[in-house]
Amino acid sequence: MTMLMKAKEAADQVYDSIRTKVKDLKQKGLQPHLAVILVEGDPASAYYARAKQKIAEKLGVTFHLHSFQADVTEESIVQLIVRLNDDPSVHGIMLELPLPLHLSAGKIEKMISPLKDIDGVTPGNKLAVVTGDAGLYPATPQACIKLLKHYGHPLEGKNVTLVGRGQTVGLPLFHMLQRENATVTVCHSRTPDIASHLAHAEIAFVAVGRPNIIRGNMVHSSLTVIDAGINEVEGGKIVGDTALDVRDHAAAVSPVPGGVGTLTTAILYENLLKAIAFQLGEVHSR
Ligand code: NAP
């Protein structure tokens, strides 16, 4: 029977460790503070921002949600980012996506200080993922690997098929998998027959953003599938990129919701603590 790789236990372990570190920092007089920027108009983003806020409260982290109306200008957001960059009481900055069409996420994100960039979106941190230098790496690819390892799967020497080469998940994950010494095949929108690549794989990571990209008849009984996709379907339901019948044919699969996304939020807070270490000069970034 297919194993369902739920992420709650792994996320709770991360949160336990964060709570202890937050207590230590507070005893030293430092109050961790995360600033999240939200442009209104996308209900899912607002939901994720609120979910992060609830977790911050449980962790003892100060959380400030900076909300803008949907018609906000890039300049106004950048002005806020400059102010947050300069504010020593703020340790992490994150921009919720997607943005309305008149705003460029790339232009805005690159204004975030790399030392406060808890989702690894600035040019310096993107480069660090490629080179393996110290930096703040994006949370979702880290979550993909952590979830796999939590279930006892090593990556070294494994045949891995990665479906999706997007900037947020697939591309950074590709570089991280190289450093784990996996043998990686990358599939994308121009790959004619994804199933033929899955046939040789022991592990698959899927990060496309379309429901049912991977179906039961494309997988096999020794394949472990980590699904990073988040898709809103009819009725507001959230599903991943893998069809439900993958559960009948693969060795193991991570659920959506309750899989990669659950661990991603925990890792964002882990990154906040790394950011604090960088800002205190305890670890040297690029
Ligand atoms: P993206 O930038 O839009 O990239 C999507 C990738 O999928 C591209 O490489 C694209 O190929 C490929 N693709 C599109 N259609 C395909 C098809 N029919 N067959 C095979 N590949 C196809 O996406 P992203 O920002 O990296 O995000 C990927 C997914 O992760 C989304 O569902 C997103 O919501 C989710 N996500 C999850 C979390 C989390 O916390 N779990 C966080 C962030 C994002 P080309 O390169 O050829 O265009």
Side-chain angles (χ1 to χ4, degrees), residues 119-147:
D119 203 14
V121 294
T122 57
N125 285 321
K126 283 184 176 175
L127 182 62
V129 172
V130 176
T131 58
D133 284 341
L136 294 168
Y137 292 2
T140 306
Q142 288 191 69
C144 288
I145 292 179
K146 199 171 189 99
L147 183 58

Side-chain angles (χ1 to χ4, degrees), residues 140 163-169 188-189 194 207-210 213 228-230 260-261 264:
T140 306
V163 188
R165 56 180 173 181
Q167 292 279 330
T168 320
V169 190
H188 44 75
S189 66
I194 293 174
V208 169
R210 284 189 193 194
I213 277 287
I230 297 182
V260 172
T264 296

Side-chain angles (χ1 to χ4, degrees), residues 69-96:
Q69 300 284 317
D71 61 356
V72 66
T73 60
E74 261 170 32
E75 294 72 48
S76 304
I77 304 178
V78 168
Q79 273 170 17
L80 170 68
I81 290 176
V82 170
R83 191 157 59 71
L84 296 172
N85 285 344
D86 289 344
D87 182 343
S89 76
V90 175
H91 305 102
I93 304 171
M94 190 186 163
L95 176 69
E96 289 289 346

